[in-house]
Amino acid sequence: MSGKQQQPRWTQTWLGGVRSAGVDLGYPGERLGLPEEGGGSIAGWGRRIGALVIDWMICTWVVVQLLLGMSPAQSPWAPVLVFALQYLLLVGWLGQTFGHRLMGVRVAAMDGGDPRLLPVAVRTVLLALVVPAVIWDRDHRGIHDRASNTMVVRM
């Protein structure tokens, strides 16, 4: 095998993605002209999931259980509706939810500014459906981001 570059097995390329096959796709956000690190860069999955968990806990425990006095087990639709409403209002007017703020991220339009209300509404509906949010591209943009022409960036 000397002199020949060893090719990865097909299972390595399938399980590890194209990067394991030696294809360099650049960092997330590079195609969009964003910096690799720091403010304005694409938010990583840890920050995004952390923000989602914080928002979900606020909506479920504080609003649904404490303020509305409802049981999420008996009314499983209540946390989803409260989450969608708070998301629409906060992202639509402030560009971020409480969870986003605590995790240091915000939702931005593709030009870097604040997203408009209609794209936020589309994004909110798709986010509440869950599946579009877990299918993403190499720039960490889910179907909900692509449909609303938004991205989640670090502050």
Side-chain angles (χ1 to χ4, degrees):
M1 282 225 152
S2 63
K4 260 184 135 177
Q5 185 180 21
Q6 186 177 7
Q7 296 294 318
R9 295 188 328 229
W10 71 272
T11 54
Q12 289 172 314
T13 61
W14 177 66
L15 293 173
V18 294
R19 289 186 196 276
S20 66
V23 177
D24 181 19
L25 299 175
Y27 60 87
E30 183 174 13
R31 292 184 310 160
L32 306 173
L34 301 175
E36 186 172 2
E37 295 289 328
S41 65
I42 291 289
W45 293 116
R47 289 176 187 265
R48 291 181 75 156
I49 291 171
L52 179 65
V53 168
I54 291 167
D55 289 332
W56 188 256
M57 289 182 347
I58 290 171
C59 291
T60 302
W61 294 342
V62 176
V63 177
V64 173
Q65 287 184 326
L66 292 177
L67 295 178
L68 299 178
M70 300 172 73
S71 168
Q74 292 176 342
S75 304
W77 52 268
V80 176
L81 288 179
V82 169
F83 176 84
L85 181 61
Q86 70 89 25
Y87 198 90
L88 178 66
L89 293 174
L90 293 177
V91 174
W93 274 280
L94 303 174
Q96 60 188 178
T97 64
F98 297 119
H100 288 150
R101 181 72 177 173
L102 290 171
M103 297 305 294
V105 299
R106 70 180 184 88
V107 177
M110 291 304 291
D111 64 5
D114 290 331
R116 297 192 177 271
L117 192 55
L118 182 59
V120 171
V122 169
R123 189 177 200 283
T124 301
V125 169
L126 292 174
L127 186 60
L129 293 174
V130 178
V131 173
V134 297
I135 301 171
W136 61 87
D137 64 13
R138 69 184 193 197
D139 292 315
H140 295 193
R141 293 178 66 219
I143 292 173
H144 64 302
D145 289 314
R146 295 177 66 87
S148 62
N149 210 23
T150 60
M151 57 189 165
V152 178
V153 296
R154 293 176 62 184
M155 295 190 321

